[in-house]
Amino acid sequence: MTAQNDPNRLVGTTLGSRFEITSCIAFDEAGARYEATDGELASAATVRVLHRIRPDDASLRRLLQLLTEVSNLALPGIKPLRAVGRTRTQDVYYATDEVVGKSLAQRLDQGALRAEEAVEAMSEAAEILGRAHTHGVVHGALHPGAV
């Protein structure tokens, strides 16, 4: 793994003069999710750094539009957007209220789900997605890491 691809390379740094990265909690081909301390609000936050979206990329405009739409929903299960910015290497990041718990992908790494667990996870995801759909927002990259 090169230094550029090391998800821990941002641990101990501060993004946007605001978010102190304390640990990497998940990573995938698109980027990494970090626990952070929001110095402005003196509270915990989650920061998602996206390695494949460049600041001049058309997909960045779509992402920013989606993040704004989702953040404005203020629905249970959807975390409000705190900030969007760029790292020193120009990777795009966005910060939300703290996300507690493991993703479905992290849980699946531990083994198959029991039927009850699968039903609960899918029911929660369907409920949240249904609320978003009611407001015209469609999740374009639904995968176990996003649940």
Side-chain angles (χ1 to χ4, degrees):
M1 181 177 297
T2 66
Q4 179 66 20
N5 295 330
D6 178 7
N8 292 306
R9 77 183 191 287
L10 293 176
V11 174
T13 66
T14 301
L15 300 179
S17 302
R18 178 175 176 181
F19 300 99
E20 181 183 344
I21 305 298
T22 54
S23 67
C24 179
I25 52 178
F27 66 95
D28 56 31
E29 64 280 350
R33 189 175 313 275
Y34 298 92
E35 287 182 345
T37 300
D38 182 342
E40 188 174 301
L41 297 178
S43 62
T46 295
V47 175
R48 175 79 165 142
V49 177
L50 302 167
H51 304 305
R52 295 185 185 251
I53 296 181
R54 306 310 323 160
D56 58 347
D57 196 341
S59 57
L60 174 59
R61 288 188 295 282
R62 288 191 304 273
L63 173 66
L64 293 176
Q65 180 180 354
L66 177 64
L67 289 171
T68 301
E69 290 173 8
V70 169
S71 184
N72 289 334
L73 294 180
L75 296 171
I78 298 175
K79 300 293 183 183
L81 182 66
R82 290 189 183 187
V84 175
R86 296 186 188 118
T87 67
R88 287 187 196 122
T89 58
Q90 295 302 303
D91 288 328
V92 172
Y93 74 85
Y94 63 90
T96 64
D97 286 354
E98 181 181 26
V99 176
V100 179
K102 294 182 178 181
S103 70
L104 181 57
Q106 289 170 311
R107 172 55 188 85
L108 289 171
D109 285 343
Q110 299 171 350
L113 298 176
R114 294 185 332 270
E116 302 83 29
E117 288 179 293
V119 168
E120 182 179 348
M122 293 304 98
S123 293
E124 282 184 39
E127 183 178 333
I128 293 167
L129 289 169
R131 282 189 236 129
H133 290 180
T134 299
H135 294 280
V137 176
V138 177
H139 196 299
L142 192 59
H143 54 87
V147 176

